[in-house]
Structures are given as C-alpha cells and as structure tokens.
Amino acid sequence: MAEQRELILKLGQMVTDRIGHKVTVDDPEYWGLACVVTDEMAEVALKMKVRKPMTFEQLLKATGKEEKELQKLLDEMSNVGILEYNWENPRREKQYVLPMFVPGSAEFTNMNAKQLEEHPELGKFFENMSRLPLEKVTPMVPPGGAGIGMHVIPVEKAIEMENQSIDIEHISHWLKKYDGKYAASPCSCRMSRKTFDEGCADDPADWCIAVGDMADYVVETNKGGRYITYDEVMDILKRAEDNGFVHQITNIDGKDKIFAICNCNVNVCYALRTSQLFNTPNMSRSAYVARVETQDCVACGRCVEYCPAGAVKLGQKLCTKDGPVTYPKHELPDRTKWGPEKWDENYRDNNRINCYDTGTAPCKTACPAHIAVQGYLKKAAQGKYREALALIKKENPFPAVCGHICNRRCEDACTRGTVDQAVAIDEVKKFIARQDLDAENRYIPPIIPPTTGRLFDEKIAIIGGGPAGLSCAFYLAEKGYHPVVFEKNEKPGGMLVYGIPSFKLEKEVVDAEIEIIRQMGVEIRCGVEVGKDITLDQLRAEGYQAFYIAIGCQGGRKAGIPGEDAEGVMTAVDFLHKTAEDEHYPVEGRTVVVGGGNVAIDVARTAGRCGASEVSMYCLESRDIMPASEEEVAEAEEEAVTINCGWGPKEILTENGKVTGIVFKKCLSVFNEEKKFAPVYDENETITVPCERVFLSIGQSIQWGSLLNGTKVELGRGNGAVADQLTYQTAEPDIFVGGDVYTGPKFAIDAIAAGKEAAVSIHRFVQPHSSLTIGRNRRQFIELDKENIKLEEYDNSSRQIPGVDESIDRHKSFRDPKKVFTEEQVKIETARCLGCGASIVDENKCIGCGVCTTKCEFDAIHLHRDLPECSTMRRSEDKMKAILPYAAKRGLKIKFGRKE
C-alpha cells in the first residue's frame, strides 16, 4: 500500500466543497491530486486560499522560497492544472489562483492530453468531483444555479426577437466583453469520458472557448489551447448548433464575469448531467422554455432527436373521443422530498425516448426508417420540394428508388385509411424525388462532422453496394468520413439494379441517387469481390479500421426435387440478374414460376417480356395469404399471368436433360399451429404442367464465399451473420453487418434503415474509447390509437391516381409506364393528410437551450422567457446566501404542502 501523503490529504480537504466530508486516501480529492501533484506543489498551494488571488510577491513572502524555485513550481502547477492565473487587478499584475475542483482544477487536469494519457485516473477524478459535491445540494438550488457550475445560454437567434431578454442571456454580450481575447481548447468532459470508454465519438478539440485571461492560460499551459478570432468563435458556435450541442457559460463569478463558453454534448457533459441525473433543472437551465405552436408542427421529430434534456417527445395533434390527450409533466423537487430514488442514472438513454405512450403519427411509426412523412407532405403542399427532399434524406438517401418500389407500410398505417383511402404518400415522394434525377436540382446534404472543422481520416470499408451498404456510406460521409464501397458486380446498387426489373425501377433512377453518394465523398470500387480479389486482412493491412458487410442474399434457393438441375431451370435471383444485364435475354416456350411472393411476380412479368409464350405461377399459399401484394398480383394478371394457389413442386420432368414439365402436389396447409412454416401435402393429389422453362422463386441464400475466412463472425439462422441487435457489431469487433445478411430477405427500406444505424455504430467504433450504445436513439415509435380519434373536419378529396404513359407498351416494355403526379395532384393529395402528430414539450424538463429551434424547419417551436429568475448569476462564494432561503421555503412547502 502506498504511503499516505499528508500534504495532499490536506490540500484535497481544503479545496473540496463537499460540506462536512472528511477526505481520506480513498477519495478522489486525494488520489486525483496525488497522481500529478508533488508535495512541493501541495506545500505552495496550502499557503493559498481557494479562489483568492495572490501575486508572485505575495506568494514569495508566504512560502519563503527562492524566486526561481517558486516560479518554476508555479509554472509546473499551472501546467498540471491545479493553479490558474489572471491579471484581474488595478495594476494588471499577474496573479495566481487556487481554483475549486469544478469548474476548475478537475477540468484543467483533463485538458492536457499527454497528462491524461499518463494518468487516466484523472478522468474519473473529474467525473467524481462534478458529481459528489452536488448529490445532496441539488434539490435546494434556486433558479440561476446559485453560482454552482455552468449555466445554459440559449442559441442567440432563438431569442433575437425576445424584447425582454437581458445582455447576459446573449452570447454576443460575452464575446463583446472579451473582445479579441479568445482561445479554443479541448472539451474536458469529452476527454474525461474517454478514459473509461464512455466517449461520445466527437473530436474533443476546440469545443471549449476560453475568454479573457483564461484564453492566455489555456494556450500557455499545455491545455491544447490556440488563439482564435471572432469569426472562428462564430464558426465553432455554428458547428455546435449544427450538431445539436448546448452552449453553456461558467457560472461562478457573478453576472459580470465568465471564463469560458462550452459547447456540450449531453452524452458526456458533466454540467448538463447535474440537471439530468438529479432531475433538478434549476442547476443549469436558462431563463427560457420552449413551446410548440401545434398548428404548425408536423411531428417530423427533429426537435425530439436533438433535445438534450429529453423534454420534447412526439404525441398527437388529433383529439380523442374523450377530448385532447393530457401529457404528463416531469416531477420537480421544489415541493417534494428528493433523494436517489428520484434520480435517473440512465438519463442519457431515457432522454432519447421518442414519443409518449399514447403514440404519434402512424406513418412515421410504421416506416422502418421512420421518415418524417407528415413533414415532407407539408413541405410539398407549400411547393418547397427541395426542402421536402432534404427532410426525406435525413433518413433515406434513396427517395426516388423508394418512390418506385417501397412496400408502403406508411400507407398501410395511414390514419386517413380509416376514413376512406390512405394518402398516396409514395406517389408524392416520387414526385419530390424527381429533382434528384436532374443534375441541376439535386440535393446533396451538407457534411456535418462532430468536429470544429476537420473531416475524419479513419478508413472504413463497406462490402456490398446495395441499399444497406450505400446508405451506410451516405450517412458516414455526412459525418465527415470518406468510406470505400467494394462491390463485386460491374455496377453498384445490388438488388436495386440486379434484382428489380426496369419496368418497376428504371436504372437511371438508381444511378442518379448513387451519383449523389459519390459526390458526398464516397468511393465505389466495382468488380472487386472481397474474400476473393482481396481479403479482410489485406484491407486491415491497408489501414481500414472497420468493415460493414452488407452483401445481401445474392443466391437463389432450389427446391431439392428431382430434375431441378436440368437445362431450362433457373432460380429467380439468377434470372433477374441476367435480364438486368441483358433485357433481350431469351425465354422461349411455356414458363412456370414456382413461388408466390413479389419476386415471383417480377420473374413472371419479366419472362413474358423476354418471349415466353405463356406464363403461369404456382404457390403453396391460398390467395388470401399469398405473400405478393394485391397490387402486384393484379398487374401480373393484367399481363396474362395465371396464378395457381395451393400447390408445391414435387418433380421437374426432363427429356435429354431439358425441361418438359413439372409435377405439383396439393398443399393442405402452409403453417403449423405456432405459425411456423411447415407445409403439409397430399402426395396423392398431383398435377402435371407441361413447360419448357421453370423459374424457382422460393427463397434466397447468402453466398459468403471466402469473405469470412479467419474471422470470429458467427453464422446463425438461414446462414445469416449473428450480431448485436442494436449496434450490428459481430463477434469480430471491427466487423458490422446489416441488410439481408443479418435479417434475411426484406425490403429496400429495411436495408436503408439498417445502413443508417450501422453508420452510427461504425462512427462510434472508430473513434477510440467511445460507447456504441450510451445515449443512442433506439428509434422506437408508438402508433396512436386510430380507433380513438375524433375528426372535426378534413379535406374530403379522393385519393389521386398517377397517370400512365400510353406510348409505352405496359405489358411488354422494360420502361416504367407509370407517370409521376402533376403539381396539381400533389397539392390535392397532400391536403388529404390529417396531420396526426405533433411534438409536445414538457416545460419541467426543458433547459431552454434553443437547440430545438435550430432543427425545426416549420417555425413551429420557439423559446419564451418564462423564467427570468434563471438568469440570476452569483459568485460561488455567495451560494449559501441563495441556497439557504430557497431551501427554507422549499422545506415549508414540503411540510405544509404550500403552493407558494
């Protein structure tokens, strides 16, 4: 056991503000100082008083040391971070200050990267000292924070029109006060959290803006500081707002002084934690509270996604049959006994809950990517098509693709469908997305890295250029990366290109949206099969730090019956791939398609276009449970495809190695009592269908090849990769998976949603010591009760139907004959939206930062100066003068239940 150092113990006791606590060697006040503070330093510090400045001459007299020795010690103590200095006296003479721990030395010790690397325990030192002294006092802190810690200062443009605001509520006031004296330095909270693997994956550099004499201090004492101009300050503040970070100022020196403006991420910030963990917003909130103008809100969810306090959640705009929904308010400590049972240790996750239990707009809920449907319909209604496209791309980089082929779960869920017919959401999206097909009007999202300027240089490989891989690349590029996509085919797009016929999705639509991804800085290397042409280990040797495997299900399944290897038999996947490469691929004679899903429909319709004399489909299911959509079935039948239900393949008949027919057996049931696929047949009831071609559309398989050789990736059901269901990380930490190789065959929109989540994980993974899960939006939404709504009035127009280009032979051409809505149709259709959802603010949780106002594109949420008392800034030395009277009043309220 190390020897107890009495001077360090005394120093820790002197600096701590834990009232009544006797410091021991087990306390952070001791071990946090002991690792970097020598006894000589402690000896000097003990001659000082906390936050009482002393000039060199005064210290020389107090310590009795020789000048050079003392100066050297003071310099070392300043570099370590247990002393700060300024020139705040009439003679502008340099004076040294022994700061409190927080804000103070616990932070300063964490800003020196080299020191933190050598002594990672300093990270926990800061974490402890920003929490332990507050555990008992927080419920008794009055509005304004009583000179403890930090104070939220709102986004300036959110309060520009507020005529009651006062100077200290504006960042510009503080920048003018310290005109020309600014330095950017690393965020100590971001640095600290990384020491125990709870980092948020931001680049810590430059987020803390020191002002006045503190600017000199962080530059001169190895705190990673650099002098910056006013314009650079404004750029950092703008980048913070773009990322949804909260502006805070130091709050221990009264209303006339601050020493830093911080840009805080709630996932790591200890100052924001004081209000969030203890559920005591008085500790840090500004004078402002956000309120939603419900009539303007479209439940896009941007404010919800970015609110650091979890004060905004999605709810509903429509009344229930019993009247408006009443939303709960968070409990506050102003008239209630408060202790650990009221705290929220998981506040970082709980703050990311998206909606109230009573639910929100069904369209957003049902969409796997949770696109802001109501929002882009409103933008389209206003004629703001580019803004509508930008809103869609927050969640989906392939709006034009999805406008053609999505399975429209949003429409299936649409509340309007309970009245007459669902809003034609996909057709409106298709109209909006046409802009992307015109190079002049394309919307390329801005790159917003969580940095103060640089892009990330970590190398990331994405294996598979389908919708999951390309979506992952898109959102990584948006974060500031330059990922490389490896695609084994000649063209990127995966099944969008090689699995969906052009009469449903024309290739130039896919090409146009992929071109945008390239313009965002993504490199796509085609004709490269990882595992064959290059291995994962070789890519690691080239510096790649993470891999996203999204190769899809590129193989077709066979039925395991006699004759299936004969000439004339193909799987659906192989056939569609062939016709994607050559639309003139010949299909002669009578054709049978085995299967009843949408892919089987695609195969049947494609076969007809390729020359089949007749096309018939046979599937196990009865018509009412057939997997193919009603719309797809109707289109096939219109093209003379005959559909036969209740039959399973028994044998393919051949002659001289070629197909002559296929025998089917009667299927009695498809699923067992547990709803699992377990077909039962009557082997004695059969039919023989003469034919020359058989296409098997009974499932897809994953073709791993040598890709996973030498990895720890485990394979599970259906030969799919096993991974964490939230992060998509496999047993090989640098390998993430998504799309069909994880879920099995699903729809493009599912793969797109998975790709975005993978981008979140990979960003966090390649930034060292970051958590893949803490504070992560789980993307869980709840649908409102459509059976319990009261519609007062609504637009009674009927659902619009897109036109058909009569110049295209809709039965034989590989071009898509469906027209896009006209502008007039878009206006009529968007007016049919009932506007189900709205954001709801809980004023008791709101901290008045204004981040929500920067994210709302509908001017539906604003800050109001409801709590002017929260702008009362006090000196730390005066905190008890504020706390004691407030605590006394609070005690009376608790005891007697008084309202005031």
Side-chain angles (χ1 to χ4, degrees), residues 197-201 764-765 767 769-776:
D197 296 326
E198 287 192 8
C200 60
R764 290 176 174 221
F765 175 78
Q767 298 306 317
H769 307 295
S770 300
S771 168
L772 267 63
T773 60
I774 291 175
R776 184 174 180 138

Side-chain angles (χ1 to χ4, degrees), residues 148-219:
I148 302 174
M150 305 284 287
H151 178 72
V152 169
I153 187 166
V155 172
E156 184 138 350
K157 64 185 177 185
I159 60 170
E160 283 172 343
M161 306 304 290
E162 178 60 67
N163 56 18
Q164 292 181 312
S165 69
I166 58 177
D167 284 347
I168 63 171
E169 294 167 358
H170 293 258
I171 291 178
S172 58
H173 163 79
W174 297 107
L175 294 181
K176 287 172 187 171
K177 180 177 176 68
Y178 297 102
D179 186 27
K181 201 69 178 295
Y182 322 116
S185 57
C187 167
S188 51
C189 294
R190 288 173 172 89
M191 301 272 279
S192 166
R193 291 275 194 185
K194 288 175 71 173
T195 64
F196 47 97
D197 296 326
E198 287 192 8
C200 60
D202 299 346
D203 179 356
D206 294 350
W207 288 118
C208 183
I209 300 167
V211 296
D213 293 344
M214 183 56 67
D216 293 321
Y217 174 75
V218 298
V219 170

Side-chain angles (χ1 to χ4, degrees), residues 249-265:
I249 54 177
T250 51
N251 188 27
I252 60 174
D253 293 301
K255 66 179 181 178
D256 294 323
K257 179 188 174 186
I258 63 170
F259 57 83
I261 303 168
C262 292
N263 296 290
C264 306
N265 184 326

